[in-house]
Amino acid sequence: MAVPTGTLHLAAAIDGDGRYQAPYYVELARLAEEGTLDFITLDDTFGPPGPGRGRLDALAVLARVAPATGRIGLVPTVTTTHTEPFHVSSAVATLDWVSRGRAGWRVEVSATEAEARLVGRRPAAPAGELWAEAGEVADVVARLWDSWEDDAEIRDTATGRFIDRDKLHYVDFEGAHFSVRGPAIVPRPPQGHPVVAVAATDPVTWQTAARHADVVYLRATSPEEAGRIRDELKRRAVAHGREPGSLTVLAALAVDLADGEGAPGTAPAVNAPVTPADTPGGPPLYRGGPAGLAELITGWHTADAVDGFHITPVAPRHDLERFVNGTVAPLQHRGLFRTCYPGATLRDHLGLSRPASRYALEREAAR
Amino acid sequence: MSRQHKQIHLAAHFPGVNNTTVWTDPRSRSQIDFDSFEHLARTAERGLFDFFFLAEGLRLREHNGRIHDLDVVGRPESITVLNALAAVTERLGLAATVNATFNEPYELARRLASLDHLSGGRAAWNVVTSSDAFTGENFRRGGFLDRADRYTRAAEFVATARELWDSWTPDGTPRPFAHTGRHFTIDGEFGVPRSPQGHPVVIQAGDSDEGREFAASAADIIFTRHGSLEAGRTFYADVKRRLARYGRAPEELKIMPGVTLVLGDTAADAQEKAAEIRLQQVSPQTALLTLEQIWGVDLSGYDPDGPLPDIDPDPDSQLTQGRVRHGDPLAVAAKWRALSEEKGLSIRQTVIEANGRQSFIGTPEAVAAQMAEFVATDAADGFILVPHLTPGGLDDFVGRVVPLLQERGVFRTAYTGTTLRDHLGLPYPGERG
Ligand SMILES: Cc1cc2nc3c(=O)[nH]c(=O)nc-3n(C[C@H](O)[C@H](O)[C@H](O)COP(=O)(O)O)c2cc1C
């Protein structure tokens, strides 16, 4: 077997439409943490998830989960179309504070007329326009995170100054859709920048993803296809002046482990290549046993097609448990996936460095 | 439990941005780290408090064109902190201050309903209304609201949120809503089912006639600054009188002033500590700055240990930005000058004397007796305690005063319910048919 080049990254969605109580989410998060997954995601939309169904605010749920977990990264979807960028910045930074450096944020837009009518602020707009705006939001949010230098709080009794105001900065952001003066109200979060994720499953998102995301999930049914899209995303990231390694590319995969081989833990040999089924709209679907899924992950990883997988369990409780026990465990046995967390923050898990504040750098350079 | 005494309600205020916090004290720790929030919340819950309270500020204050650097500043976002605190507490109410001008009803109603679900019915919303263009520079809409429109928007905001919270049937089916009004025209389906309290508890903070009227019509609690016995009674009577107009009973609106306290082993000890704290709260730099905020002009040439300036304030000054101005600066300056002349006080001493924010000073017995008197004589229904130390500032109160209040029969000895409405004895709103 060829030796895969990079570290394998694994993440799982813990979506649960119709679940309104904290213990459900806490249980899933702890399960994912037992499997040392990099992070969990919780999906959200501005409006109801579907006719007659409800769901809670995703960032709220993961803030509730934070003190009940220790290491797992927490990545809620936060939409940018009808929200205030300043509030988005504060909420995500705060998730990072309450989780002690485990926060991320999946950027998403609200494209429907129904969502627009819930707010009444402006009509629906084409997806391209919304993703351009989402990029502006990601940009101003990062500037706000930088607007307090790390050591801005000085508590200098001699001069009576609590902060060094020279280390606080106006962001003075002027975009096509909004402007924000700054600085932030929330001091710089523990990770400097919480992790930005984009589900780059539709090419309309690629430009914003390549420019602003730390993590992307792509949509592909074969390692060849995944590798092509990954190369394209990395090429665009580099065109924006970024390091190719600054973008972690995961394959999105829905998993249904309801049937298929054996009980969790047993791993019959599966030699035939496993291919997920294309599904219209959603991520490709893997249906089968957890050991077969380990084969699939190993195969794609060995082919160096992606940096890892973002799985969406079809039945969260059941499939996530089988995934952790029946898929992650054999990957660990093979030495493909870590058995403990390498650090404390989500950036640590992803092998991403902590960015310096751009304003601190500018101030240093001006000296 | 004995119910012959009117019961005191208690809340813990976690300091955000203010000049009450003595950050120079070696016991003072972070006001950002989650540990600090957890410490104060657990203390409050150990003391069987009704709720934990977070204020809000959406733009850093400026003075003389620069960011104000003397006070504790910087704070995490309230609703997110409270959701996390829901994980480490079981009964304590969780109150977030959120502005009605820089938010939209659908989104905020959803966030508050989510907090209410995730905490098992402990959410509260303090509706504030400041709307100046200065704060507006951080938002899409900008500072577009006239002073006169702030409370009309706030009232419509709360009414709209309640329509959304009421829109699911008791058996868990969403009904479409449609709201058409002056500030909001929205329709669709609310994304969150009815939460444990039906409606999160609504708090109002603001003092104008419009503010009081809004509170009487729509709030469950008023957070007030009227923390003295006389001012408290006048305010209390005024606000409770307004309730009948809206078909509400006096018990349906709780009046809770924000108060500070200093405990000592003897009365003299407490007074001594109080004086020390005032000196720490009002450094020479803070004294001058406070004066500049009223005068509206640069007074950096003045000696904080010297007399007050003899020049008049500029009432239209923009020197200070982001701070709520209370009262007419000319009147305040005249009052301060009289105080200074009468007692022969320096600038710093005058600021300390005039802004003395300490409400209860004394032994635990004395403080318990005073609090009981406030509530028994309708100067308040309870208190929002503003500690001057973070996060240990209520440790002593909970350890030493709460048991005395319990002995007097004026404070609960156990939580009798699980939701904030239960703690406050507030009715659960009915569903709309
Ligand atoms: C006790 C008290 C606490 C307040 N806390 C806040 C706060 O945390 N954030 C905020 O933006 N405004 C706060 N305010 C300001 C009010 O929301 C309101 O904008 C201000 O009092 C002016 O309204 P008024 O004219 O009715 O008093 C507070 C006011 C009072 C009286």
Side-chain angles (χ1 to χ4, degrees):
Chain A
M1 185 169 33
V3 179
T5 49
T7 318
L8 175 64
H9 297 285
L10 295 174
I14 59 161
D15 300 324
D17 292 351
R19 300 287 184 162
Y20 311 122
Q21 290 187 354
Y24 169 81
Y25 295 102
V26 169
E27 188 191 331
L28 292 178
R30 287 187 173 151
L31 189 55
E33 193 168 68
E34 276 170 34
T36 63
L37 302 197
D38 291 79
F39 60 92
I40 49 173
T41 63
L42 186 56
D43 205 1
D44 208 352
T45 58
F46 200 72
R53 287 188 297 164
R55 80 166 133 216
L56 304 182
D57 179 78
L59 191 136
V61 172
L62 294 187
R64 171 65 181 75
V65 164
T69 53
R71 288 300 169 96
I72 188 116
L74 305 167
V75 182
T77 296
V78 180
T79 57
T80 59
T81 306
H82 300 297
T83 42
E84 286 286 355
F86 191 84
H87 291 324
V88 169
S89 164
S90 299
V92 177
T94 301
L95 182 63
D96 207 41
W97 278 107
V98 302
S99 65
R100 300 181 173 94
R102 296 186 283 135
W105 156 41
R106 173 156 91 84
V107 180
E108 184 56 284
V109 303
S110 309
T112 67
E113 188 58 39
E115 288 161 295
R117 294 171 69 93
L118 296 171
V119 190
R121 196 166 60 82
R122 58 170 175 180
E129 199 177 298
L130 297 178
W131 276 102
E133 183 190 35
E136 288 188 349
V137 174
D139 191 2
V140 75
V141 162
R143 283 169 193 276
L144 287 165
W145 291 336
D146 282 345
S147 68
W148 287 58
E149 295 184 27
D150 288 316
D151 48 0
E153 188 182 313
I154 51 169
R155 296 191 182 228
D156 184 44
T157 33
T159 56
R161 292 175 308 144
F162 183 77
I163 48 163
D164 178 352
R165 58 187 165 199
D166 293 334
K167 293 183 176 174
L168 261 56
H169 304 275
Y170 296 100
V171 303
D172 282 330
F173 182 90
E174 291 274 353
H177 301 275
F178 57 86
S179 60
V180 174
R181 175 96 166 105
I185 284 291
V186 189
R188 197 155 194 265
Q191 294 184 100
H193 295 178
V195 169
V196 176
V198 172
T201 49
D202 181 330
V204 74
T205 69
W206 286 1
Q207 202 57 16
T208 300
R211 185 161 184 177
H212 298 286
D214 302 300
V215 175
V216 296
Y217 336 138
L218 54 75
R219 189 173 198 293
T221 49
S222 71
E224 295 72 30
E225 188 187 6
R228 269 198 309 278
I229 299 172
R230 183 180 70 165
D231 291 347
E232 172 62 19
L233 286 164
K234 295 215 172 194
R235 191 187 60 74
R236 294 192 191 200
V238 169
H240 287 295
R242 304 181 64 197
E243 297 284 331
S246 62
L247 194 62
T248 302
V249 180
L250 309 179
L253 196 62
V255 305
D256 177 357
L257 306 178
D259 42 41
E261 90 279 357
T266 63
V270 179
N271 295 316
V274 192
T275 312
D278 203 359
T279 55
L285 174 69
Y286 168 86
R287 180 177 280 143
L293 182 55
E295 291 307 317
L296 184 151
I297 291 173
T298 304
W300 286 44
H301 187 57
T302 309
D304 198 19
V306 284
D307 303 312
F309 286 80
H310 173 259
I311 65 143
T312 302
V314 170
R317 237 188 208 138
H318 174 268
D319 292 332
L320 187 59
E321 186 172 354
R322 292 196 104 199
F323 180 74
V324 166
N325 295 324
T327 304
V328 173
L331 292 171
Q332 289 171 327
H333 279 298
R334 285 175 209 177
L336 290 185
F337 190 60
R338 59 159 173 263
T339 53
C340 62
Y341 285 103
T345 71
L346 177 53
R347 283 191 171 269
D348 292 339
H349 309 342
L350 291 166
L352 296 172
S353 59
R354 184 178 188 277
S357 158
R358 76 197 66 199
Y359 302 104
L361 294 174
E362 279 171 21
R363 205 165 53 84
E364 284 296 308
R367 278 223 293 227
Chain B
M1 189 170 39
S2 151
R3 276 284 163 186
Q4 63 238 59
H5 297 294
K6 189 177 157 193
Q7 295 292 296
I8 295 183
H9 295 285
L10 292 175
H13 185 292
F14 185 93
V17 176
N18 63 70
N19 47 13
T20 311
T21 303
V22 178
W23 57 261
T24 50
D25 191 295
R27 290 167 294 177
S28 166
R29 297 213 304 273
S30 172
Q31 82 289 352
I32 305 296
D33 288 342
F34 186 64
D35 292 346
S36 292
F37 290 95
E38 186 171 349
H39 181 109
L40 191 72
R42 285 188 191 270
T43 308
E45 189 161 85
R46 194 167 66 243
L48 306 172
F49 280 35
D50 294 66
F51 62 96
F52 179 96
F53 181 91
L54 288 168
E56 181 187 61
L58 296 172
R59 173 116 189 236
L60 296 181
R61 292 165 179 177
E62 281 178 15
H63 186 74
N64 221 348
R66 304 193 65 193
I67 289 166
H68 178 47
D69 61 358
L70 301 179
D71 296 340
V72 161
V73 67
R75 57 172 122 217
E77 186 270 319
S78 299
I79 296 181
T80 305
V81 170
L82 296 177
N83 276 302
L85 286 176
V88 296
T89 54
E90 285 174 5
R91 301 291 182 97
L92 189 66
L94 302 165
T97 299
V98 187
N99 199 292
T101 304
F102 302 110
N103 288 280
E104 298 298 329
Y106 184 91
E107 187 193 10
L108 186 56
R110 184 170 183 270
R111 297 188 72 207
L112 290 164
S114 296
L115 176 63
D116 208 42
H117 278 286
L118 293 165
S119 64
R122 300 189 274 143
W125 171 28
N126 177 33
V127 188
V128 294
T129 53
S130 73
S131 72
D132 52 356
F134 176 74
T135 305
E137 283 177 9
N138 281 335
F139 296 96
R140 291 180 189 263
R141 282 182 186 259
F144 72 108
L145 269 194
D146 291 341
R147 202 186 139 81
D149 281 338
R150 297 182 322 189
Y151 280 112
T152 64
R153 178 171 165 114
E156 192 181 328
F157 199 126
V158 173
T160 308
R162 286 179 168 150
E163 286 166 29
L164 301 177
W165 291 329
D166 280 346
S167 70
W168 284 57
T169 61
D171 65 351
T173 318
R175 279 178 298 224
F177 71 85
H179 173 97
T180 306
R182 182 160 154 228
H183 296 278
F184 314 108
T185 296
I186 60 175
D187 68 73
E189 204 175 85
F190 189 48
V192 186
R194 197 169 171 83
S195 73
Q197 293 189 110
H199 302 171
V201 167
V202 169
I203 307 173
Q204 185 268 357
D207 201 22
S208 58
D209 195 58
E210 298 99 303
R212 294 179 188 202
E213 211 56 36
F214 165 58
S217 71
D220 301 303
I221 299 172
I222 298 188
F223 176 21
T224 149
R225 287 206 173 86
H226 298 287
S228 77
L229 203 55
E230 306 76 61
R233 281 181 191 147
T234 310
F235 179 79
Y236 192 102
D238 175 69
V239 172
K240 297 259 174 167
R241 193 170 42 236
R242 294 172 193 250
L243 286 166
R245 220 175 291 171
Y246 303 96
R248 303 178 71 200
E251 318 77 72
E252 288 178 48
L253 181 64
K254 306 292 180 202
I255 295 178
M256 300 181 70
V259 298
T260 61
L261 48 108
V262 183
L263 299 175
D265 294 332
T266 63
D269 176 36
Q271 287 297 342
E272 199 176 299
K273 273 195 196 161
E276 214 171 281
I277 292 164
R278 285 196 200 114
L279 277 174
Q280 289 173 304
Q281 287 169 330
V282 186
S283 67
Q285 296 95 329
T286 297
L288 268 191
L289 193 117
T290 308
L291 216 62
E292 289 185 353
Q293 283 165 354
I294 293 163
W295 259 255
V297 291
D298 184 350
L299 300 173
S300 53
Y302 285 79
D303 176 5
D305 296 319
L308 258 59
D310 46 17
I311 54 172
D312 276 333
D314 170 6
D316 303 318
S317 168
Q318 298 291 308
L319 191 72
T320 291
Q321 299 263 36
R323 183 182 289 274
V324 181
R325 277 192 144 191
H326 297 278
D328 162 30
L330 284 166
V332 176
K335 212 168 87 189
W336 284 28
R337 210 175 264 135
L339 180 74
S340 158
E341 277 162 21
E342 184 197 323
K343 299 195 177 174
L345 303 177
S346 70
I347 287 177
R348 189 177 181 198
Q349 288 165 331
T350 307
V351 173
I352 288 174
E353 184 83 10
N355 267 2
R357 294 269 220 103
Q358 289 151 334
S359 321
F360 296 110
I361 305 171
T363 61
E365 291 75 16
V367 167
Q370 284 177 53
M371 287 189 158
E373 187 193 358
F374 265 70
V375 171
T377 62
D378 286 350
D381 293 312
F383 306 95
I384 297 183
L385 302 182
V386 184
H388 62 266
L389 279 182
T390 310
L394 292 179
D395 295 358
D396 269 0
F397 179 86
V398 166
R400 301 175 73 186
V401 180
V402 165
L404 299 173
L405 295 172
Q406 290 168 330
E407 264 171 41
R408 287 174 172 268
V410 296
F411 189 65
R412 65 173 70 91
T413 52
Y415 284 115
T416 52
T418 58
T419 69
L420 179 54
R421 281 186 187 275
D422 293 342
H423 307 339
L424 293 162
L426 291 172
Y428 281 72
E431 278 113 11
R432 261 171 248 219

